[in-house]
Amino acid sequence: GESVGLHLPTLSVQEGDNSIINCAYSNSASDYFIWYKQESGKGPQFIIDIRSNMDKRQGQRVTVLLNKTVKHLSLQIAATQPGDSAVYFCAENLSGGYQKVTFGTGTKLQVIP
Amino acid sequence: GAGVSQSPRYKVAKRGQDVALRCDPISGHVSLFWYQQALGQGPEFLTYFQNEAQLDKSGLPSDRFFAERPEGSVSTLKIQRTQQEDSAVYLCASSQQGAGGYTFGSGTRLTVV
């Protein structure tokens, strides 16, 4: 079936560097995308979202880019900090009628002090 | 409360035992979701409630899984005759109608032995 996937299972970055986490999606009908951060022993935490009528959205230290042509989503974290170490999931809305989302398998971000 | 609360935090069940997992959503949140997260995987959708109505239960893996939200607030996920493959973290999330990104609880880690 259609699913959301990630290119890299683990990403190691030096503290202070920028991080880029990538995600591919397969359903061209998806119109809403979300990035979540999950720390060990906790539930996923909303980071930032983007709708399909946008190609870029910025938050505090985070930017999400959406390329609908190649069905690609990325999360950029500026000046990565040790507290950013976690698993990051992209998720897509497939139903449109309510907020059910489908999650990918995640990328583990390790920040090296 | 300020967040989504789930109990118990951990549950160990013998194979064949019935279990009940509780979710207290954020007060006033109309939408409530249950997800199942296997180790190293992204959350998988189980079921969705809008107030007390269960509008989507397409993700429930078998008829041993049952969820309810009788008064439109607290929800219970029940698993009958637990099997080892039911071992996972069960996440509950809630959101306001029409809002983006859910708020997740910390989950219940179920281990079936």
Side-chain angles (χ1 to χ4, degrees):
Chain A
E2 293 169 320
S3 64
V4 173
L6 295 174
H7 297 308
L8 300 174
T10 304
L11 177 66
S12 296
V13 297
Q14 205 72 33
E15 181 179 357
D17 288 351
N18 297 334
S19 302
I20 300 176
I21 301 172
N22 296 302
C23 173
Y25 66 94
S26 58
N27 188 346
S28 57
S30 294
D31 60 0
Y32 180 58
F33 303 89
I34 313 164
W35 280 100
Y36 286 93
K37 172 186 180 183
Q38 187 173 27
E39 297 174 282
S40 181
K42 297 184 180 180
Q45 177 187 2
F46 173 89
I47 301 173
I48 191 168
D49 58 2
I50 189 167
R51 296 204 174 272
S52 59
N53 60 353
M54 303 172 68
D55 54 19
K56 180 180 181 179
R57 190 163 188 223
Q58 289 185 293
Q60 187 176 11
R61 281 201 309 117
V62 295
T63 301
V64 55
L65 300 177
L66 175 62
N67 186 330
K68 294 181 287 293
T69 302
V70 295
K71 299 176 189 170
H72 185 266
L73 197 67
S74 69
L75 176 69
Q76 299 178 1
I77 304 173
T80 312
Q81 303 169 359
D84 295 328
S85 294
V87 177
Y88 290 80
F89 294 97
C90 67
E92 86 186 277
N93 182 305
L94 294 174
S95 66
Y98 61 94
Q99 297 147 52
K100 169 184 175 181
V101 294
T102 298
F103 285 79
T105 54
T107 293
K108 183 176 182 179
L109 177 65
Q110 295 178 322
V111 181
I112 304 166
Chain B
V4 177
S5 178
Q6 292 188 246
S7 62
R9 189 76 176 86
Y10 302 93
K11 177 68 179 179
V12 178
K14 291 184 178 179
R15 191 171 56 182
Q17 184 179 355
D18 297 348
V19 298
L21 312 180
R22 177 186 170 105
C23 173
D24 285 82
I26 293 174
S27 179
H29 276 192
V30 170
S31 299
L32 185 145
F33 301 80
W34 283 98
Y35 279 78
Q36 180 190 59
Q37 186 173 25
L39 186 65
Q41 301 294 317
E44 295 277 351
F45 171 80
L46 293 177
T47 187
Y48 162 66
F49 289 87
Q50 183 176 2
N51 295 306
E52 70 279 2
Q54 189 175 18
L55 300 186
D56 188 344
K57 53 182 181 180
S58 62
L60 297 177
S62 76
D63 59 6
R64 296 186 295 105
F65 287 71
F66 172 77
E68 60 183 5
R69 194 187 185 195
E71 297 179 357
S73 55
V74 172
S75 178
T76 303
L77 176 67
K78 298 178 179 179
I79 308 173
Q80 297 177 322
R81 304 181 304 281
T82 52
Q83 304 295 316
Q84 284 191 319
E85 61 263 29
D86 299 335
S87 295
V89 174
Y90 290 85
L91 295 163
C92 176
S94 70
S95 72
Q96 292 179 322
Q97 188 77 10
Y102 317 151
T103 300
F104 278 88
S106 293
T108 294
R109 179 176 295 278
L110 173 65
T111 303
V112 182
V113 297

